[in-house]
Amino acid sequence: MTGGGHGAGPLARGVAWTTALYLLLPISIVVPVSLTDQRFLSLPYHAPSLRHYANLFTSEAWLGAVWQSFWLALASTVLAVAAGTLCAIGCWRLGRRSSEAVRALMLLPLIIPSIVYAVGLYRWFGKLDLLDRFLGVTLAHAVTGIPYVVITVSASLAAFDPRLEQAARGMGASLGQTLRWVILPRIAPGIASGAIFAFIHSWDELVMVLFITSRDVFTLPRKIWDGINENLDPTMAAVAVLLVVFTVLLLWADGELRRRRES
Amino acid sequence: MSGTAAAGHALDLRGLTRRYGTFTAVRGVSLRVERGQFLTLLGPSGSGKTTILMMVAGFVPPSEGQVLLDGADITPLPPERRHFGMVFQGYALFPHMTVAENVVFPLRVRGLGRAERDGKVRAALDLVQLSPFAERRPAQLSGGQQQRVALARALVFDPALLLLDEPLSALDKKLRAELQDELKALHRRVGRTFVNVTHDQDEALSLSDRVAILNHGRLVQFGAPAELYERPRTSFVADFLGKSNFLRGTVRGAQGGAAVLEAGATRIAQALPDGAALPSGAAALLSLRPEKIAVLAEGEGADTVVGGRIAAWSYLGADFALDVRTDDLGTLRVVLPSWRAPIRPAEGMAVRLGWTADAAVPVEEDAAA
């Protein structure tokens, strides 16, 4: 018992460990399942096997879904970062109560259940001929990715000394030069953080995709979903493992960025 | 950095007023700074001095009035088109850039060629003796060095004016005195018009050619430091710029540049500066600097003599500070040079104080004093 705090009692300890296991077990179970030597979702019978990983990297359907998801996530991240960053900077510069309202509005996609969003998009995209189109999914993911960027960029701006902007303007810099040479370099870590979250958001989004795509746009989460419904192919466990690894890598990168910003 | 006095520009403020809602931060301030002069805006916090600087810089638009540079109205110009150098409070150096990158910034935004840029940056860093630190980041420098980077950055593009917003307030006392001297030498060398904002009276007195004293958004008095110190117009100026005793009395007989004031049984002989008139029978207020009061030796006389007892005293090295309680004039603060002082102060000691008729100045009373 150091630092003057109270140690956790056995009950608190038990609850904490149970919660941790509850969070981690469903994720970790996919690791042995992905190594099964059987042709259906199961634990390995005889010996662990990498056949499903091999299948993943040779199957055109799986690779196609991976690439489609990747390009979608990339495109929607670019849009979300541009829109979210400009929105955050605009609100910061205005600094009025009305800009608080705009910022709150920007967080709506986080608050509204995605199923509601999906229903609305379905009706709307039907009229615009955006159903089952790469552009449609990109726009949907970009808009719902904006909140992550607005949050992280606003946080960086809150720590930005407004006198730096004044100084730049006073020395003759135009708004564009001030943005490019003074503001953006200072908030770059926040933008990168937002980009990582927007990317992850698009990368594993399923609900909207189910509503607004059918055959032509087939993302990775959609492929996994279909796999579970149709043939219980253990390849999707292999995909799941890679997804987890990929996401952990992105989050680790985000943590590194934050650490560098603080030092 | 061509460094000639002709490089400075004259600045005119005409009826500058700034309101925030119902609050008036600056009311009708008018003054003129000549080419190459060092102007200090001096006042307590909330006096409007920083608002005036921000209006000169262009960050705050005036509600009324104009800012003129060499006679041309620049009031509508945004800050980036005024070409003024500015040293911000806390310096506002760009933390993600090196010293050299900070200093080159104003040249970069003006699109100067590399060769020209490099030459000017080198000259600016030499000017503030920071050339060896060009590749460091601001966080790796001391407060005084950061301040010099801010100066180099503000001067590198040959600005029409240099604006300084409490440039020394973040430094400790000793460093502040050093940089005060450096700033003064720098002003001599570059010959530009400087406008400085401070609440530090010593800084204002030692640096400036002209001081504008502000209180509650109004310009209370404007002039050379010695003029303000010797001839304060109001009790606020006398009290804010240096220390002052205030003597109240009733005018008894004023003629030919001299008056006699009566305070109880004490008669004060007071010379009247040109044009000043004290109507007989009226109440008057005099400002008397502590160092102008002498402790009289036995038998010694003065235009005004008053007796009292030392209520408290302290030794300040160069001087003694005495608080002398008198019957008619309240407690007077006296600063007595300690070297060969005529008395050895002790609490309760009876002393005779004296001063000449031109030592004190009649001042107007303002509510703020």
Side-chain angles (χ1 to χ4, degrees):
Chain A
M1 225 168 293
T2 55
H6 293 280
L11 181 68
R13 246 175 236 272
V15 170
W17 278 108
T18 312
T19 310
L21 287 176
Y22 183 79
L23 287 173
L24 284 172
L25 271 182
I27 301 174
S28 49
I29 197 71
V30 298
V31 177
V33 170
S34 74
L35 294 173
T36 187
D37 47 2
Q38 302 299 309
R39 301 192 48 180
F40 49 90
L41 279 180
S42 59
L43 292 173
Y45 271 30
H46 305 294
S49 142
L50 286 174
R51 56 183 281 198
H52 300 294
Y53 285 90
N55 181 38
L56 167 62
F57 286 109
T58 49
S59 147
E60 221 159 275
W62 280 108
L63 280 182
V66 167
W67 282 114
Q68 196 146 45
S69 268
F70 178 79
W71 291 118
L72 259 173
L74 201 63
S76 64
T77 298
V78 168
L79 287 179
V81 163
T85 303
L86 289 176
C87 170
I89 291 176
C91 288
W92 171 72
R93 275 184 56 87
L94 288 175
R96 299 203 198 99
R97 203 170 302 157
S98 55
S99 70
E100 280 302 314
V102 171
R103 227 180 313 218
L105 202 66
M106 282 295 146
L107 303 187
L108 274 185
L110 275 189
I111 300 159
I112 293 178
S114 45
I115 190 92
V116 176
Y117 239 89
V119 172
L121 283 178
Y122 181 71
R123 305 268 314 173
W124 183 236
F125 277 16
K127 286 187 191 143
L128 292 176
D129 190 27
L130 283 172
L131 284 179
D132 202 21
R133 300 272 291 274
F134 185 84
L135 179 63
V137 184
T138 304
L139 287 177
H141 283 179
V143 168
T144 47
I146 285 175
Y148 301 99
V149 182
V150 172
I151 289 172
T152 55
V153 174
S154 293
S156 317
L157 282 170
F160 181 87
D161 180 355
R163 273 176 310 190
L164 295 184
E165 195 210 351
Q166 272 195 346
R169 299 295 294 278
M171 283 184 281
S174 66
L175 192 57
Q177 289 169 323
T178 308
L179 199 61
R180 194 160 72 242
W181 290 332
V182 179
I183 299 177
L184 285 181
R186 295 298 297 156
I187 61 171
I191 296 175
S193 261
I196 288 172
F197 282 110
F199 188 94
I200 293 175
H201 159 72
S202 165
W203 180 248
D204 72 355
E205 200 286 324
L206 176 62
V207 175
M208 283 188 290
V209 165
L210 282 180
F211 273 77
I212 61 176
T213 66
S214 55
R215 289 282 114 201
D216 289 346
V217 180
F218 219 83
T219 67
L220 192 55
R222 173 90 195 277
K223 176 85 178 140
I224 297 175
W225 172 257
D226 281 11
I228 291 215
N229 284 335
E230 284 159 21
N231 55 13
L232 296 182
D233 178 359
T235 307
M236 65 196 163
V239 174
V241 169
L242 293 183
L243 273 181
V244 169
V245 170
F246 185 60
T247 310
V248 166
L249 278 179
L250 281 179
L251 288 176
W252 172 80
D254 182 57
E256 278 297 295
L257 278 174
R258 272 163 209 270
R259 225 157 38 90
R260 210 169 299 172
R261 177 174 32 184
E262 271 146 32
S263 69
Chain B
M1 215 141 300
S2 42
T4 57
H9 292 258
L11 177 73
D12 257 309
L13 308 183
R14 291 204 186 146
L16 271 192
T17 298
R18 173 67 204 192
R19 283 183 285 270
Y20 292 98
T22 56
F23 172 69
T24 306
V26 176
R27 306 164 191 259
V29 169
S30 298
L31 55 84
R32 178 178 170 82
V33 202
E34 301 298 334
R35 289 162 186 273
Q37 278 190 338
F38 195 123
L39 164 72
T40 294
L41 304 170
L42 176 68
S45 58
S47 59
K49 54 191 192 300
T50 302
T51 309
I52 294 176
L53 192 78
M54 289 297 159
M55 287 193 278
V56 173
F59 293 118
V60 172
S63 308
E64 281 164 36
Q66 287 148 4
V67 179
L68 286 84
L69 191 69
D70 293 333
D73 187 2
I74 58 163
T75 320
L77 289 184
E80 62 267 29
R81 298 201 26 218
R82 296 194 179 194
H83 305 291
F84 294 168
M86 181 144 180
V87 175
F88 285 81
Q89 205 172 4
Y91 318 133
L93 298 176
F94 302 129
H96 58 289
M97 298 183 191
T98 63
V99 167
E101 284 166 351
N102 262 285
V103 175
V104 85
F105 186 88
L107 306 177
R108 213 166 121 199
V109 303
R110 284 171 175 74
L112 257 67
R114 177 165 292 273
E116 199 179 350
R117 274 184 349 203
D118 289 353
K120 284 188 182 247
V121 169
R122 210 169 309 125
L125 287 177
D126 281 347
L127 187 74
V128 296
Q129 293 145 32
L130 273 181
S131 301
F133 300 95
E135 297 313 316
R136 301 244 187 125
R137 298 214 175 231
Q140 297 168 298
L141 300 180
S142 71
Q145 289 167 334
Q146 290 183 22
Q147 199 254 7
R148 303 214 299 258
V149 177
L151 275 170
R153 188 177 70 170
L155 286 168
V156 72
F157 59 104
D158 297 314
L161 277 185
L162 182 67
L163 310 178
L164 303 133
D165 186 7
E166 309 224 9
L168 306 175
S169 64
L171 306 169
D172 63 63
K173 198 175 169 187
K174 189 150 189 243
L175 197 56
R176 198 156 59 207
E178 263 177 58
L179 283 165
Q180 214 165 290
D181 294 343
E182 274 186 35
L183 198 58
K184 192 167 184 172
L186 189 71
H187 176 244
R188 291 270 151 73
R189 254 178 294 159
V190 301
R192 276 170 207 290
T193 312
F194 282 32
V195 180
N196 178 39
V197 159
T198 187
H199 58 258
D200 181 334
Q201 43 148 320
D202 294 331
E203 190 185 316
L205 287 175
S206 78
L207 286 176
S208 320
D209 298 307
R210 289 287 179 276
V211 177
I213 298 192
L214 296 147
N215 194 25
H216 298 306
R218 287 182 204 279
L219 180 61
V220 186
Q221 197 171 355
F222 176 61
E227 189 186 325
L228 297 192
Y229 188 81
E230 297 297 339
R231 297 257 167 270
R233 205 173 55 74
T234 74
S235 53
F236 171 79
V237 175
D239 201 40
F240 194 73
L241 203 66
K243 294 213 159 49
S244 182
N245 296 297
F246 291 102
L247 315 177
R248 280 167 209 286
T250 311
V251 183
R252 296 275 177 245
Q255 49 173 305
V260 174
L261 273 70
E262 196 179 71
T266 304
R267 299 179 78 76
I268 306 166
Q270 177 60 41
L272 296 179
D274 311 330
L278 291 177
S280 204
L285 184 66
L286 302 178
S287 155
L288 177 60
R289 300 289 184 193
E291 73 275 12
K292 294 184 181 171
I293 303 178
V295 175
L296 301 177
E298 210 152 313
E300 197 182 345
D303 294 342
T304 303
V305 178
V306 60
R309 282 183 187 281
I310 295 178
W313 64 279
S314 37
Y315 175 65
L316 305 174
D319 306 297
F320 288 111
L322 314 177
D323 287 333
V324 178
R325 193 160 294 148
T326 66
D327 288 338
D328 298 321
L329 299 174
T331 300
L332 296 180
R333 163 61 62 101
V334 179
V335 169
L336 177 69
S338 52
W339 177 241
R340 291 179 179 159
I343 56 163
R344 294 184 58 83
E347 238 168 85
M349 178 189 237
V351 287
R352 284 168 67 239
L353 304 178
W355 58 90
T356 56
D358 59 356
V361 195
V363 292
E364 286 168 31
E365 189 150 13
D366 40 19

